[in-house]
Amino acid sequence: MQLPDAEQLCTSLVSQLRAQVTPDTAIVGIVTGGAWLAERLHRELGLKTPMGTLDVSFYRDDLGKSGLKKQVLPSQVPFEVEGRPLLLVDDVLYTGRTIRAAMNELFDYGRPARIDLAVLVDRGGRELPIAAQFCGARLDVPAGKVLVLERDEAAGGKLVLQLSAQRRKPSSAKGSGK
Amino acid sequence: MRNPQLNAHGELQHLLTIEGLPREVIVHILDTAGSFVGITERDVKKVPILRGKSVFNLFFENSTRTRTTFEIAAKRLSADVINLNINTSSAAKGESLLDTIDNLSAMHADMFVVRHASSGAPHLIARHVEAHPHLHVVNAGDGRHAHPTQGLLDLYTLRHYKQDFTRLSVAVVGDVLHSRVARSLIHGLTTMGTPDVRVIGPKTLLPEGVEKLGVRVFNDMNEGLRGCDAIVMLRLQNERMKGPLLPSAQEFFKSYGLTAEKLALAKPDAIVMHPGPMNRGVEIDSAVADGPRSVILPQVTFGIAVRMAVMAILAGQ
C-alpha cells in the first residue's frame, strides 16, 4: 500500500500546532519514533522548555505477554510537570495502550495542567477511549501489519513511514501494539 | 543439561548464580538497571510493573541490608512484599524448606527471594517449583556459593565508573575463601571479558585452585594492587572463621587492610568498592572508606536499581 510522506505530515503537524502551543508548553516524545518526531516539532516550533522523552516499558500492560524489551531507555523529563500544559507526541496511534502507559508515567512526575496528543498517523483500531487532538493523517492499516516511523540517518535524519508484516519481537522493537 | 536458570527460550527464569549466565543476559540486566536509576531519583519512586505480584523474601540467614534493598526494590516495582525471617536452627532443614515453599506457593506467591546458609538451597527451590512456570526464584546469597545480585551491582558500579570491562584490571582483596560475593563477581568479570582479575589474600583465606577461575593470585597486597583500576575489598567474615586461619584482626589489617598508602599503588583514578557491612580498621581504613575514591555508598544505591531490573525481567518471562 502507498504510505504518506512522513516529512509532509510533519510539516502539516507543525502548522496545526503553531497556534496552539504556549510559552509554557512542554513537549514529550515516546521513544523511539515519537521522540524523533518530538525532536523535530520542538525545533520547528521553537519551544523554550527542553523536550522530554518517555520509554513507557515499565508502565505497559502487556509485560506478562511480551516480557521486558532489551533496551529500556531512561525516561527524561527535564522540566516541572506540575501545572504545565504538555504536548505528548507519538508516531502512530493505534490501540491507545501506549498513550495510556505514557499518561500514567507522566502523572508520576506531577499533575500537568493538561495533556494534548499529537501523532503523525492515526491508524484507528482503538481499544481505549483515547483520541489525538493533532494528527498528520488518518490511515487504514490492515490488522496484523505494523506501521512504524524510521529515521534515515544517512539522509540527514529524514523521517520515513514503514510497513512491516508482523510485530517485531519485544527484544528489538519499542514493543508497542502498533 | 539445560542451565536451570534459563527457560526453554534461553530467557531468565530464575537468578541463581552468575556462573554460566550468558553475557547478553548480564548486559540486559545492567542496561535495565540503568533505566531504574532515574526512577529512584524521581518524586514518585515507583513504577507499576509488578503490581498485583507477591514477592516473598525468605531469609533463612540474617541480613538486614540485602533484605531491605530487595524489599525496597520490589516495592518500587509496586509488588506486595512479604518478609519471612526463618530460623534455621531447627532440624531437618531440607524437609522443612520445601514444605515452606509448598505452603507459600499455595498462597500464590510469584517470586521467592532466598537467602540461605547452605550452598545450593535456591537451586533446590527452583527445581522444586519447576511445575509452576510463573514462579521465579532469586538467590540473595547461598552459603559460600553465590550472591548474584551483589555481583551484578558490582558489575554495574564498575561499568558506571569505568565503562569498558575489556580494559580493566580489578583486584579482589581479603577473605575470598568464605566469600560468595567474590565468586559471583569473578564469574561476572570473566564473562564480561575483563582481561585482568586479581585476587589478593593470605593463603589461608584463598580457596584452593582459585586460579582456575581465570584470576591471578597474589599473597602480597602491595604487589597485587599495582596499577589496578578498581579494588574490591571483602569483609573479613569473622562469624564464618573456623579455627585459627588468622593471627588477629590487627595483623590482618597490617598486611591486607586498605590504607591510603596501599591505595596509592593502584591507578590514580582507581575506585574502591566494598559489599558491606564494613569492618573499619580490619579490612579497610576509615580514611579510605570515606575518601574521594570510595564508591561504597553509590554501590548501595545501584544495588536497588539492579534488583529492580532482575525482578522486572523475571516477571516478564
Side-chain angles (χ1 to χ4, degrees):
Chain A
M1 71 186 279
Q2 183 67 36
L3 292 175
D5 176 10
E7 289 292 330
Q8 271 177 22
L9 298 183
C10 204
T11 311
S12 145
L13 261 186
V14 171
S15 55
Q16 289 179 49
L17 286 164
R18 204 174 294 280
Q20 304 297 323
V21 292
T22 70
D24 261 2
T25 302
I27 193 164
V28 187
I30 301 172
V31 295
T32 314
W36 293 333
L37 181 60
E39 216 173 278
R40 185 71 71 82
L41 297 177
H42 185 261
R43 195 171 59 225
E44 305 261 324
L45 293 167
L47 294 180
K48 296 282 176 288
T49 314
M51 67 166 271
T53 56
L54 293 180
D55 186 324
V56 300
S57 300
F58 300 140
Y59 288 80
R60 297 198 61 83
D61 57 13
D62 56 1
L63 176 79
K65 274 194 217 132
S66 344
L68 195 60
K69 67 172 187 168
K70 282 282 182 269
Q71 279 273 330
V72 181
L73 297 169
S75 293
Q76 313 274 0
V77 183
F79 48 80
E80 186 71 44
V81 166
E82 193 71 32
R84 189 186 290 279
L86 300 181
L87 181 66
L88 184 60
V89 176
D90 205 0
D91 49 359
V92 180
L93 177 59
Y94 184 21
T95 62
R97 289 176 191 271
T98 301
I99 304 304
R100 195 237 18 133
M103 287 196 288
N104 282 18
E105 177 158 8
L106 284 172
F107 274 80
D108 280 351
Y109 286 88
R111 180 179 183 271
R114 60 179 293 139
I115 303 179
D116 289 308
L117 176 62
V119 299
L120 210 55
V121 176
D122 178 351
R123 61 171 283 189
R126 215 77 77 242
E127 292 166 2
L128 297 172
I130 280 172
Q133 284 72 37
F134 308 98
C135 170
R138 273 167 241 287
L139 199 62
D140 275 327
V141 180
K145 295 266 187 186
V146 181
L147 183 64
V148 287
L149 190 65
E150 303 284 352
R151 185 158 77 169
D152 187 351
E153 303 300 342
K158 187 170 178 264
L159 298 176
V160 186
L161 282 166
Q162 295 270 357
L163 197 61
S164 61
Q166 55 180 326
R167 191 171 168 175
R168 288 178 292 184
K169 296 272 287 180
S171 57
S172 59
K174 54 194 283 189
S176 69
K178 285 168 187 157
Chain B
M1 199 189 91
R2 187 163 64 80
N3 187 331
Q5 22 185 17
L6 303 180
N7 66 18
H9 309 290
E11 299 158 334
L12 204 63
Q13 173 72 18
H14 308 292
L15 179 66
L16 305 175
T17 171
I18 294 184
E19 187 179 2
L21 213 55
R23 190 175 175 281
E24 57 272 19
V25 171
I26 295 179
V27 171
H28 185 200
I29 295 170
L30 301 185
D31 287 348
T32 306
S35 301
F36 281 124
V37 167
I39 284 161
T40 62
E41 287 160 358
R42 293 192 324 207
D43 258 7
V44 177
K45 300 175 185 56
K46 236 173 154 62
V47 293
I49 197 165
L50 255 63
R51 204 167 68 89
K53 306 276 187 209
S54 302
V55 174
F56 282 74
N57 271 334
L58 305 180
F59 278 62
F60 295 89
E61 183 186 75
N62 286 331
S63 160
T64 310
R65 176 183 327 225
T66 303
R67 205 209 64 212
T68 308
T69 51
F70 267 109
E71 182 175 351
I72 293 171
K75 284 182 170 168
R76 289 193 179 157
L77 297 170
S78 305
D80 295 312
V81 186
I82 298 93
N83 290 314
L84 296 167
N85 292 311
I86 302 155
N87 191 349
T88 44
S89 63
S90 61
K93 285 175 200 151
E95 269 280 315
S96 67
L97 172 66
L98 296 182
D99 271 347
T100 307
I101 296 302
D102 284 340
N103 276 280
L104 297 175
S105 306
M107 295 176 201
H108 300 288
D110 296 288
M111 202 174 291
F112 293 129
V113 176
V114 182
R115 159 71 62 102
H116 204 288
S118 302
S119 304
H123 278 87
L124 185 71
I125 295 171
R127 206 162 336 127
H128 188 70
V129 300
E130 234 170 33
H132 311 278
H134 73 280
L135 254 171
H136 306 282
V137 178
V138 180
N139 181 1
D142 62 331
R144 294 185 191 180
H145 171 240
H147 193 350
T149 57
Q150 177 70 44
L152 287 165
L153 83 86
D154 290 340
L155 292 178
Y156 185 92
T157 307
L158 284 163
R159 195 175 78 161
H160 178 84
Y161 289 102
K162 299 291 170 191
Q163 287 81 42
D164 186 2
F165 288 102
T166 64
R167 295 154 176 269
L168 282 193
S169 189
V170 181
V172 182
V173 188
D175 184 1
V176 179
L177 179 66
H178 299 95
S179 178
R180 53 195 174 207
V181 173
R183 246 167 285 266
S184 286
L185 177 57
I186 290 166
H187 285 301
L189 286 170
T190 46
T191 305
M192 296 307 292
T194 314
D196 183 19
V197 184
R198 315 167 185 183
V199 299
I200 304 171
K203 278 199 180 72
T204 49
L205 291 182
L206 296 179
E208 221 172 291
V210 66
E211 61 283 347
K212 291 198 190 94
L213 298 178
V215 299
R216 292 201 286 154
V217 179
F218 295 88
N219 297 123
D220 179 348
M221 188 170 178
N222 292 332
E223 204 186 311
L225 289 184
R226 205 149 282 147
C228 69
D229 299 286
I231 305 168
V232 181
M233 297 305 299
L234 300 171
R235 188 166 69 92
L236 191 63
Q237 311 223 359
N238 294 316
E239 74 271 24
R240 275 166 216 259
M241 296 259 240
K242 289 182 185 136
L245 291 175
L246 281 177
S248 72
Q250 288 78 10
E251 280 296 311
F252 183 84
F253 182 69
K254 232 166 104 190
S255 306
Y256 296 102
L258 187 62
T259 57
E261 296 78 63
K262 291 204 191 97
L263 176 57
L265 296 166
K267 285 208 184 123
D269 62 347
I271 54 170
V272 175
M273 296 164 53
H274 192 299
M278 282 186 280
N279 295 313
R280 290 169 183 262
V282 180
E283 71 262 358
I284 190 162
D285 192 38
S286 273
V288 175
D290 306 328
R293 314 266 285 278
S294 163
V295 297
I296 296 170
L297 291 176
Q299 279 181 275
V300 178
T301 310
F302 296 150
I304 292 172
V306 166
R307 288 174 177 124
M308 287 170 82
V310 167
M311 290 194 263
I313 290 168
L314 287 175
Q317 304 305 348

